[in-house]
Amino acid sequence: MLCSTQDWEADYLHPNYSDSLNKSIPMKEPCPDVFWFPLFSEKFAQELIEEVEHFGEWSGSAHSDKRLAGGYENVPTDDIHMTQIGYQEHYLKIIKNYILPVQERIYPGFYADGKALLNFVVKYHPDRQPKLRPHHDSSTFTTNICLNRPLIDYEGGGCRFLRYNCSVVDNEIGYATIHPGRLTHWHEGLETTKGTRYILVSFIDP
């Protein structure tokens, strides 16, 4: 996925991304202070899934995790980190160039550094890890990006924000969900009942 900026945007940025920066176009807000916006193309999503599946070293939802500084994950997912596939530095540039400008529109007055130690692809499957228990994220804000097709590649899944009794489900490929990570947005991963669901998650400004 490494190429010139112009070529990269043509191949991997969602064709409607610029709408997210246009203040005359309302942002979609499926739950309080939770927003959707188009970020990546289907090509980006497909190639990232292919890359992580080729790498193949899924964490298995284990609490013990040598990839982390403390060696322990309190709320583990079945995942592969961007550091493991050599995409971490590239993805940090994506955060600064394409996610932070949208964040500044959505949450005005906060200017993020764009630090993100954890950027990772999660795999949900009924026979592996179908869901995730309620938790807060180790972030100021989190992005959660849909990588494959709901109701076609998988059924079920989504994210429920318990404080608001509000769920985000059936997102579109390449669309990002953005929400505060701590305090107000305690949330859970809803059960994937069929197929395999892939999402790309970032904990930004931990």
Side-chain angles (χ1 to χ4, degrees):
M1 293 193 291
L2 301 176
C3 52
S4 72
T5 299
Q6 185 175 2
D7 289 343
W8 187 92
E9 289 183 349
D11 282 346
Y12 298 121
L13 200 62
H14 195 286
N16 296 329
Y17 169 77
S18 62
D19 290 351
S20 305
L21 305 177
N22 186 340
K23 293 183 179 180
S24 68
I25 300 176
M27 297 289 292
K28 295 180 180 179
E29 187 178 4
C31 294
D33 276 329
V34 179
F35 296 87
W36 271 333
F37 67 95
L39 180 57
F40 294 129
S41 68
E42 291 191 18
K43 181 178 180 180
F44 178 98
Q46 180 181 353
E47 291 188 8
L48 183 56
I49 290 173
E50 290 173 355
E51 186 69 25
V52 292
E53 285 293 2
H54 176 73
F55 181 75
E57 296 182 17
W58 296 95
S59 65
S61 314
H63 286 285
S64 177
D65 194 338
K66 295 180 179 179
R67 302 170 300 174
L68 304 179
Y72 181 84
E73 173 56 62
N74 187 43
V75 187
T77 51
D78 194 10
D79 58 49
I80 290 174
H81 291 186
M82 292 297 235
T83 53
Q84 294 176 271
I85 59 172
Y87 284 0
Q88 177 75 353
E89 293 305 314
H90 181 59
Y91 199 69
L92 290 175
K93 292 179 182 178
I94 291 174
I95 289 173
K96 289 186 177 182
N97 292 336
Y98 303 104
I99 293 178
L100 295 194
V102 179
Q103 171 267 306
E104 290 175 10
R105 179 192 172 189
I106 292 170
Y107 307 117
F110 179 76
Y111 301 97
D113 292 328
K115 295 178 181 177
L117 300 178
L118 290 179
N119 303 292
F120 53 101
V121 176
V122 179
K123 175 194 275 190
Y124 287 108
H125 187 278
D127 297 332
R128 293 175 63 95
Q129 181 180 21
K131 59 185 179 179
L132 190 63
R133 68 175 176 84
H135 62 283
H136 287 292
D137 293 336
S138 299
S139 68
T140 301
F141 65 94
T142 295
T143 56
N144 177 329
I145 300 158
C146 177
L147 296 179
N148 61 335
R149 302 169 297 176
L151 306 178
I152 298 174
D153 299 321
Y154 66 91
E155 295 179 7
C159 183
R160 176 173 175 257
F161 295 91
L162 285 82
R163 177 184 177 92
Y164 307 105
N165 191 26
C166 183
S167 298
V168 178
V169 297
D170 299 341
N171 207 348
E172 297 180 40
I173 293 180
Y175 270 66
T177 302
I178 184 171
H179 62 83
R182 295 189 177 93
L183 191 62
T184 56
H185 282 65
W186 194 41
H187 58 285
E188 64 182 341
L190 299 174
E191 184 175 4
T192 297
T193 57
K194 183 178 180 181
T196 303
R197 176 181 178 233
Y198 296 93
I199 57 175
L200 170 58
V201 178
S202 293
F203 294 162
I204 301 174
D205 279 20

